[in-house]
């Protein structure tokens, strides 16, 4: 089995290496059989694939709870487990019990995944990130990535760790990189359930998703509280998945473009994005952060409190900031810190959000800067909307340019002398229109 999975992974990497070929999405056909455990029939109901890996049963227990929540929310759920890549004799030495009876998602069935509307993924941590079994499955989706078959589809994640703080957050956060490259929307739980705030007992679960503490030897089983969080994740996701996969509404979505610009580069991207939002039928409002608003106590804020209080009136948000040592600027962070009251009231839960940036150099924060903003989205329970590779210009390797699956960006140069190029502005234009269309769905 291990040999087969690694072979699949090699084929996928080969496909990804030829992503600049002229093949269209329509040329890639699904070859998966229509069978029990396969892709669902199209009857208008929300179709969710719940895909997991479990070694000792903890993730399977959570998966059953998430499934129950999804079904309570009106979704039709198909459960899969990914293939095992460890030999049977190794599993026996590790004391692993027999696998559950759920359908094993083999390579031939991967092509049927685009038939689903949304996804929930579950896996245990291995050294703070997803286990190799699930990574092998992800690596086997290279053909879907090349054709953009999963772009725009929402997904949520749950996990299991051996200890407190042993991958509770990083296991899911590092998995967001996989979703981003596919252009999939990340749907966190945020603090949409009070159980995550519980400090009366030891428990798993975080703003990123449901979770259980298994103990280092796997002896601890999911608690009732952890199961409740898993059920909640299911119902929460079902409700948001319906919105994010609906037919776009006819009205104009109200979109706030909130940015901090030090030398004008982020401002240029913001202006381009604003024009694109308008062209796509959105109603943009630009909010410029300065960090120079001084209060009576001598402290500064990034924007007035009246502006902060008005944010729940918007349907979606595009944030921009230059990188500062690989993360968002202190001005944008000050803004986020001002939104604590909104966080406490859950006022931004479920709102789509995206990000664009400016860096001084190539590889100097183009990806990590938006990643650090995803943590802010997650704690608010906001849906992260990357562009993935929905814009072909990101694939351009004939000229130096910014822009990544995470969003639009520009290289400013260490001294700020380089200005956004036409290609970078094209990516920004794409992001504005693409994001607007996602928000239209969420307000349908």
């Amino acid at each position: 089995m291990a040999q087969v999975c690694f072979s699949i992974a090699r084929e996928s990497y080969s496909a990804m290496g030829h992503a600049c070929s002229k093949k269209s999405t329509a040329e890639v056909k699904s070859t998966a059989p229509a069978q029990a455990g396969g892709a669902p029939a199209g009857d208008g109901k929300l179709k969710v694939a719940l895909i997991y890996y479990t070694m000792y049963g903890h993730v399977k227990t959570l998966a059953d709870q998430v499934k129950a929540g999804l079904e309570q929310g009106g979704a039709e759920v198909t459960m899969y487990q990914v293939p095992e890549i460890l030999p049977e004799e190794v599993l026996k030495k590790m004391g692993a019990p027999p696998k559950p009876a759920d359908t094993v998602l083999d390579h031939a069935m991967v092509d049927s995944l685009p038939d689903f509307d949304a996804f929930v993924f579950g896996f245990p941590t291995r050294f703070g990130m997803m286990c190799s079994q699930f990574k092998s499955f992800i690596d086997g989706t290279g053909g879907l990535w090349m054709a953009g078959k999963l772009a725009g589809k929402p997904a949520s994640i749950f996990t299991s760790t051996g200890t407190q703080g042993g991958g509770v957050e990083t296991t899911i956060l590092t998995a967001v990189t996989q979703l981003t490259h596919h252009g999939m929307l990340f749907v966190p739980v945020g603090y949409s359930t009070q159980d995550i705030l519980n400090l009366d007992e030891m428990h798993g679960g975080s703003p990123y998703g449901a979770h259980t503490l298994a103990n280092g030897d796997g002896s601890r089983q999911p608690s009732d509280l952890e199961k409740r969080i898993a059920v909640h994740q299911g119902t929460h996701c079902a409700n948001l998945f319906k919105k994010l996969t609906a037919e776009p509404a006819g009205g104009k979505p109200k979109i706030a473009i909130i940015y901090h610009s030090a030398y004008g580069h982020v401002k240029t991207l913001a202006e381009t994005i604003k024009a694109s939002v308008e062209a796509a039928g959105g109603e943009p409002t630009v909010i410029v952060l300065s960090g120079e608003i001084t209060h009576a106590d001598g402290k500064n804020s990034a924007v007035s409190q009246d502006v902060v209080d008005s944010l729940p009136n918007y349907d979606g948000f595009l944030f921009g900031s230059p990188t500062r040592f690989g993360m968002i600027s202190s001005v944008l962070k000050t803004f986020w810190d001002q939104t604590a009251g909104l966080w406490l009231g859950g006022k931004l839960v479920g709102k789509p959000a995206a990000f664009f940036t400016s860096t001084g150099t190539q590889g100097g924060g183009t990806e990590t800067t938006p990643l650090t903003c995803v943590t802010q989205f997650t704690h608010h329970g906001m849906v992260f909307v990357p562009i993935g590779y929905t814009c072909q210009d990101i694939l351009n390797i004939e000229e130096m340019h910014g822009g990544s699956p995470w969003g639009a960006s520009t290289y400013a140069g260490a001294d700020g002398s380089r200005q956004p190029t036409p290609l970078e502005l094209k990516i920004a234009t794409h992001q504005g229109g693409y994001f607007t269309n996602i928000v239209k769905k969420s307000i349908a």
Side-chain angles (χ1 to χ4, degrees), residues 79-103:
M79 285 184 69
Y80 297 110
Q81 55 183 322
V82 302
E84 179 60 75
I85 63 174
L86 293 178
E88 189 64 33
E89 57 269 23
V90 173
L91 292 172
K92 287 182 179 178
K93 289 180 180 179
M94 296 175 72
K99 294 295 180 185
D102 295 314
T103 301

Side-chain angles (χ1 to χ4, degrees), residues 261-402:
S261 185
Y263 297 102
H265 300 83
V266 174
K267 178 182 178 181
T268 299
L269 292 180
E271 290 172 344
T272 302
I273 288 172
K274 175 179 181 289
S276 181
V277 169
E278 289 175 332
E283 185 180 311
T285 297
V286 174
I287 300 172
V288 182
L289 307 178
S290 68
E292 297 175 356
I293 300 175
T294 304
H295 299 273
D297 59 6
K299 294 180 180 179
N300 287 354
S301 62
V303 71
S304 71
Q305 193 57 42
D306 287 344
V307 171
V308 172
D309 293 341
S310 73
L311 295 181
N313 298 324
Y314 294 97
D315 301 308
F317 301 87
L318 281 151
F319 295 93
S321 162
T323 190
R324 289 296 181 266
F325 302 101
M327 64 176 291
I328 60 175
S329 69
S330 61
V331 175
L332 182 56
K333 187 63 178 74
T334 298
F335 160 80
W336 280 116
D337 292 353
Q338 284 184 251
T339 64
L342 301 181
W343 167 81
L344 194 61
K347 298 294 188 179
L348 302 181
V349 171
K351 303 266 190 182
F355 189 84
F356 56 98
T357 189
S358 167
T359 67
T361 62
Q362 301 177 66
T366 301
E367 299 166 73
T368 60
T369 307
L371 180 63
T372 59
C373 205
V374 169
T375 64
Q376 319 296 303
F377 299 159
T378 298
H379 279 253
H380 270 291
M382 303 171 79
V383 177
F384 173 50
V385 182
I387 58 176
Y389 289 90
T390 57
C391 178
Q392 290 295 304
D393 288 310
I394 294 177
L395 296 167
N396 183 305
I397 56 170
E398 296 173 358
E399 65 175 274
M400 180 179 68
H401 66 85

Side-chain angles (χ1 to χ4, degrees), residues 31-357:
T31 58
Q35 59 183 20
D43 59 4
K45 198 171 185 180
L46 177 73
K47 308 297 192 300
V48 179
L50 198 166
I51 304 172
Y52 71 91
Y53 172 79
T54 191
M55 177 170 283
Y56 296 107
H58 300 81
V59 173
K60 165 61 175 171
T61 298
L62 290 184
D64 287 338
Q65 302 301 313
V66 172
K67 178 176 183 287
L70 286 165
E71 291 174 339
Q72 288 174 23
E76 180 180 304
V77 185
T78 303
M79 285 184 69
Y80 297 110
Q81 55 183 322
V82 302
E84 179 60 75
I85 63 174
L86 293 178
E88 189 64 33
E89 57 269 23
V90 173
L91 292 172
K92 287 182 179 178
K93 289 180 180 179
M94 296 175 72
K99 294 295 180 185
D102 295 314
T103 301
V104 175
L105 187 62
D106 61 30
H107 186 50
M109 297 170 67
V110 168
D111 288 339
S112 71
L113 294 182
D115 295 331
F116 290 95
D117 301 308
F119 299 86
V120 180
F121 301 124
F123 39 79
T125 190
R126 293 296 184 268
F127 302 103
M129 64 176 289
M130 71 171 64
C131 60
S132 58
Q133 290 87 344
F134 209 88
K135 187 63 170 69
S136 180
F137 155 69
I138 293 290
D139 291 353
T141 62
L144 300 181
W145 168 83
M146 185 171 64
K149 292 286 192 177
L150 301 181
K153 292 185 181 287
S156 196
I157 304 171
F158 60 97
T159 189
S160 167
T161 68
T163 61
Q164 302 177 68
V168 179
E169 300 164 67
T170 62
T171 304
I172 296 178
L173 182 60
T174 54
V176 172
T177 64
Q178 325 289 298
L179 303 184
T180 297
H181 279 253
H182 268 295
M184 301 175 77
L185 284 53
F186 173 52
V187 181
V189 174
Y191 288 90
S192 57
T193 171
Q194 292 294 304
D195 282 325
I196 293 178
L197 296 168
N198 184 303
L199 288 176
D200 295 328
E201 65 175 271
M202 180 180 67
H203 67 86
S206 77
Y208 292 87
H211 154 255
T212 186
L213 298 163
N215 203 355
D217 59 1
S219 60
R220 183 182 181 276
Q221 297 303 311
S223 67
D224 290 341
L225 191 151
E226 291 168 345
K227 291 177 182 178
R228 284 204 309 270
I229 294 173
V231 172
H232 171 80
Q233 181 168 1
T235 54
H236 178 72
C237 285
N239 292 330
L240 286 179
F241 288 170
K242 288 176 186 176
K243 292 181 178 181
L244 295 166
T245 58
E247 288 298 318
K252 282 192 169 186
K254 294 179 172 61
I255 297 175
I257 301 172
I258 303 173
Y259 75 89
H260 162 231
S261 185
Y263 297 102
H265 300 83
V266 174
K267 178 182 178 181
T268 299
L269 292 180
E271 290 172 344
T272 302
I273 288 172
K274 175 179 181 289
S276 181
V277 169
E278 289 175 332
E283 185 180 311
T285 297
V286 174
I287 300 172
V288 182
L289 307 178
S290 68
E292 297 175 356
I293 300 175
T294 304
H295 299 273
D297 59 6
K299 294 180 180 179
N300 287 354
S301 62
V303 71
S304 71
Q305 193 57 42
D306 287 344
V307 171
V308 172
D309 293 341
S310 73
L311 295 181
N313 298 324
Y314 294 97
D315 301 308
F317 301 87
L318 281 151
F319 295 93
S321 162
T323 190
R324 289 296 181 266
F325 302 101
M327 64 176 291
I328 60 175
S329 69
S330 61
V331 175
L332 182 56
K333 187 63 178 74
T334 298
F335 160 80
W336 280 116
D337 292 353
Q338 284 184 251
T339 64
L342 301 181
W343 167 81
L344 194 61
K347 298 294 188 179
L348 302 181
V349 171
K351 303 266 190 182
F355 189 84
F356 56 98
T357 189

